[in-house]
Amino acid sequence: MTPAHPAALGVRARAWGYRHAGRQAWAVRGLDLTVEPGERILLAGASGAGKSTLLTALAGLLDPEQAGEVEGALTVGGAPPREVRERVGIAFQDPESQLVMARAGDDVAFGLENRGVPTPAIWPRVEEALKLTGFPYDRDQPTGQLSGGEKQRLVLAGVMALSPALLLLDEPTANLDPDGAALVRTAVERVVAARGSTLIVVDHRVDDWLPLVSRVVVLRAGGGVLADGEPAQVFATQGERLAAAGVWVPGHRPPRRRAPEPATEPLLAAEGLTHTYPAAGRPALVDANVRLHAGEALALTGTNGSGKSTLAMLLAGLLPPSAGHVRAMPSLYLRAGLDPRWTAARRRLFQRQSGDSPLHTWRATELVRAMGTVFQDPEHQFLTSTVRAELALGPRLIGCSPGEVTSRVDDLLDRLRLAHLAAANPFTLSGGEKRRLSVATALATGPAALVLDEPTFGQDRSTWLELLDLLANLRDEGHAVTFVSHDADFVAAFADRTLEMRAGRLVHESDQRMAAKRECA
């Protein structure tokens, strides 16, 4: 056990539970847990087991009088969490929810200013925090120009600058490339060592955190604790049981799902794609040439800020290129079920005007038949007040009958384990549940091609495997699946072809099927 530090805060839970407003099921229930000051805890559990809810409660951010129902007792440093909030730092799954200022340095300074830190002391602490987390820009960098992973690192810098006595991290490396994730773990280790802070971290990259933590606590879905102890001992003696319960366990590698046949039918051709965001100093993407094929899974990999998400948005028709074009091939129209007469008329119109029919100019009712999209931040695509309504929106848009809408929605609720959340507000779901809902909405219109940005973010082992099977089956049925990912296991298990990006350019292409054939030979 890590020695206690006078500044560290311990945690006590006694039969504690919390139920969100409007929910029948409890997010957490019957939790008995003691965390001593200075301990370093890896908090694990299946998706929906209540990990994020517990962290939010420990940060003093749950108000049962307004938002839900509480039972039992939960204390931090012997006091109700709301009374010690200024000594607790938390980084959420969604970095957007914690960014409040237009410039990076101002965002890190915001919390220090709110806590009354003298002005001369603020900026040295800001600079130190940015350096600790490996933030790649200076403090004048506009926050609106950051990639998802860069935003996550900036949020962590803001938390680190506060030197919290209890540090709570919810999937802090989920959207980071391996080097960026390693920088964050190093930063956490430095801060915890210097301050003696108590650490509780939720992260599905279990292996990477084992050198830093001294204890693993696994929450049981439905309530209580499933396992608790020294990590090596817990995983050695209970690994099979934990993996079966949906927990990521070191050494339990997932199976591979490669395409049974080589892909030959092109659906989409992108040529010379370049894109520069307004007010940006340099292009986010330069001269990219990509083809999407029916029956193929294409992975876009690379470091944070390399242009992966920009390329994905361009391929999905959601962003107009600054140069180049994205052209739909005839087979995409046919697979999307678009009227060939409309296709011919539209092509003649755009050939007269601009020589082609750019994908980003298609009407929404046409585009959703052809392309299904999952954004890096799932909340950016939620438009309704319930999970069921969210799934029904796309099918209604393309003119499905009420019976067909219901059938599609019920099928997706079951396939993605969201049926128990059908009446819930999408914005109240856990990070993993939001990700599954965003994938389900992309599938609801039956698109010919899918473009997904970090589809496995926040998933436990069970839902990760279910997503792999679902997407692999769609690929094998002839859909084109393109995905952005830092999840090396998912890329290895699913990708048939990989494009690596660096500084806005495609720098390497590999075909996993050819590599597998060479290995067999």
Side-chain angles (χ1 to χ4, degrees), residues 205-224:
R205 293 176 172 177
V206 172
D207 306 54
D208 294 335
W209 286 94
L210 292 183
L212 180 57
V213 300
S214 56
R215 178 180 169 196
V216 60
V217 175
V218 183
L219 298 186
R220 185 192 305 274

Side-chain angles (χ1 to χ4, degrees), residues 3-10 36-39 77 87 164-166 195-199:
H5 189 281
L9 291 173
E36 298 296 340
E39 278 198 282
R87 300 181 63 195
L166 171 61
R195 178 70 177 174
S197 308
T198 305
L199 171 68

Side-chain angles (χ1 to χ4, degrees), residues 91 133 151-161 169 172 176 184 188:
T133 55
K151 290 176 181 177
Q152 198 166 26
R153 214 175 300 173
L154 180 60
V155 166
L156 283 167
V159 174
M160 301 291 190
L169 303 177
L176 297 180
V184 166
V188 171

Side-chain angles (χ1 to χ4, degrees), residues 34-86:
T34 297
V35 177
E36 298 296 340
E39 278 198 282
R40 302 176 180 182
I41 307 294
L42 176 66
L43 186 65
S47 180
K51 303 182 296 295
S52 295
T53 299
L54 176 57
L55 293 193
T56 305
L58 291 173
L61 300 177
L62 288 184
D63 186 350
E65 295 182 359
Q66 297 180 3
E69 181 180 352
V70 67
E71 63 181 14
L74 182 69
T75 60
V76 175
R82 292 178 66 83
E83 295 182 8
V84 292
R85 282 194 297 189
E86 290 194 353

Side-chain angles (χ1 to χ4, degrees), residues 173 176-185 205 208 302-304 485-488:
T173 65
L176 297 180
D177 59 65
D179 289 343
L183 282 171
V184 166
R185 289 191 299 273
R205 293 176 172 177
D208 294 335
T303 58
N304 290 113
S485 186
H486 291 302
D487 186 342

